[in-house]
Amino acid sequence: MLKINKTRQTTAEFFVIEDKQERLVKTTVINTDNDAVSTVYETLHEPELYAKHRRDMRKHEQELRELRYKIEDEILAELEAEETEQVS
């Protein structure tokens, strides 16, 4: 018997331009398991830059949150399709 567990990992890096240099402010890693449950890990590299650019950071965090929900919904749709096939 073969059993396959699909998982998905999304890595996001948040950058700002400071003194004409690209600076990594924050990294977020999202692991989504085969039941569409996500675990989020965040590392804040530059708290001062995050505070200074908070408005933009929050906008991008929201975009990432929407992507996470989209991935979870895709997995749920796949699970529902598999259940429907098994019943047929």
Side-chain angles (χ1 to χ4, degrees):
M1 176 166 74
L2 174 65
K3 184 174 182 177
I4 297 174
N5 292 317
K6 290 183 183 179
T7 61
R8 298 179 190 177
Q9 184 177 72
T10 304
T11 303
E13 297 176 318
F14 298 81
F15 290 90
V16 297
I17 303 296
E18 190 77 16
D19 300 325
K20 298 181 183 180
Q21 292 185 17
E22 193 174 76
R23 304 271 302 270
L24 177 62
V25 176
K26 178 180 172 180
T27 303
T28 302
V29 178
I30 304 169
N31 291 312
T32 308
D33 69 14
N34 60 330
D35 291 322
V37 176
S38 293
T39 305
V40 180
Y41 303 94
E42 295 184 318
T43 303
L44 188 57
H45 306 285
E46 299 268 2
E48 299 83 16
L49 289 179
Y50 182 90
K52 184 177 178 181
H53 299 275
R54 184 181 321 256
R55 194 171 303 228
D56 287 334
M57 292 288 122
R58 287 184 175 171
K59 181 182 120 200
H60 296 304
E61 289 168 339
Q62 180 61 35
E63 291 170 6
L64 180 59
R65 193 173 298 112
E66 290 170 10
L67 175 62
R68 175 181 145 203
Y69 295 153
K70 180 181 177 204
I71 291 168
E72 290 174 353
D73 290 345
E74 289 171 357
I75 293 170
L76 289 172
E78 290 172 10
L79 290 172
E80 289 173 3
E82 288 173 7
E83 288 177 8
T84 301
E85 288 177 12
Q86 291 175 358
V87 172
S88 300

